Amino acid sequence: MGDSQGRAGEGHGSEAAAVFDALGAEYERAFAASAAHRQSLERLLAGLAPGSSVLDVGSGTGRPTAQTLADAGHRVLGVDVSPVMTALAARQVPGAEFRCADIRDLPLAEGEFDAVCVYFSLLQLERGEQSDLLERLVRSLRPGGLLAAATVPVDVAGVDAVFMGQPVRVSSFGAEEFTALTARAGVAVEWTHSALFTPDHPAGEPEPHLFVHGRRI
């Protein structure tokens, strides 16, 4: 279900932190084989100028997203609500900066970044929060800056589920609705890709993945 995100110490956020603290490196191993995620990163890299500034929302263990971008010479800021994940990322990807924080509480300047990655990091937010956050993230992009977003495209709101053996509460949108949500946030959508992926974990279940790429208008 992707990189972790939530509000630390408050409601779903503290639950999200607990889930991803518990999963730790297991999460990275479970999702390492996602060819669609790698394809999305390659597409993002192809559109970035050398030394670009990139925000990785829900940076998890730092791999593959932050590591791939940092290894390519970009300046990466990873933000994650899980202290365990953030500490692991800092050890694994010393070429990037990581902060343990809720992205909703982090001040973001207008046009601060050349690209923003939001890989599966919206799922434990309410639908309205997802919409609000996407708009904030798009405003933090320079005009023409790139957004790479991914979600599990199912039409659910506040549903209790089990993810890799951990209880989670998730909200999401269907594929068309999520793509439209991204467009309404101020992005010209240029590419979408759907895939089915099964995490490499005893409790892993097949899940649909949707990747959406575009540029700030």
Side-chain angles (χ1 to χ4, degrees):
M1 194 174 295
D3 299 348
S4 61
Q5 156 61 20
R7 187 180 298 273
E10 185 177 314
H12 295 322
S14 57
E15 296 166 12
V19 167
F20 287 95
D21 279 350
L23 288 174
E26 276 188 79
Y27 175 84
E28 180 184 319
R29 288 191 294 269
F31 283 83
S34 173
H37 192 153
R38 299 280 178 178
Q39 184 180 359
S40 173
L41 284 171
E42 289 169 7
R43 186 177 186 89
L44 179 63
L45 285 172
L48 289 175
S52 289
S53 175
V54 185
L55 174 64
D56 182 13
V57 179
S59 45
T61 66
R63 300 196 297 213
T65 303
Q67 183 177 59
T68 300
L69 291 162
D71 286 352
H74 301 295
R75 293 172 289 120
V76 182
L77 171 61
V79 179
D80 200 283
V81 75
S82 163
V84 170
M85 289 286 207
T86 304
L88 185 58
R91 290 197 302 271
Q92 295 191 145
V93 192
E97 177 188 353
F98 296 95
R99 295 183 197 170
C100 183
D102 186 320
I103 190 65
R104 291 169 295 177
D105 296 334
L106 198 69
L108 299 173
E110 176 83 19
E112 183 176 359
F113 298 101
D114 298 303
V116 172
C117 299
V118 198
Y119 285 115
F120 304 103
S121 49
L122 302 175
L123 291 159
Q124 289 185 273
L125 303 181
E126 302 293 344
R127 283 176 160 185
E129 291 177 311
Q130 294 186 33
S131 178
D132 291 345
L133 179 56
L134 275 172
E135 290 179 2
R136 279 191 68 225
L137 294 174
V138 171
R139 287 196 300 271
S140 79
L141 284 168
R142 63 168 177 77
L146 302 178
L147 177 75
T151 192
V152 176
V154 290
D155 186 11
V156 296
V159 170
D160 291 318
V162 177
F163 172 63
M164 289 175 57
Q166 299 291 325
V168 294
R169 188 171 178 83
V170 300
S171 296
S172 190
F173 302 87
E176 288 186 12
E177 193 173 1
F178 184 78
T179 303
L181 189 74
T182 305
R184 285 197 299 273
V187 169
V189 176
E190 298 179 337
W191 182 75
T192 63
H193 178 67
S194 297
L196 190 66
F197 182 75
T198 302
D200 183 11
H201 186 273
E205 296 285 343
E207 56 186 55
H209 288 174
L210 172 69
F211 294 82
V212 178
H213 284 234
R215 295 178 185 270
R216 178 180 177 177
I217 297 169

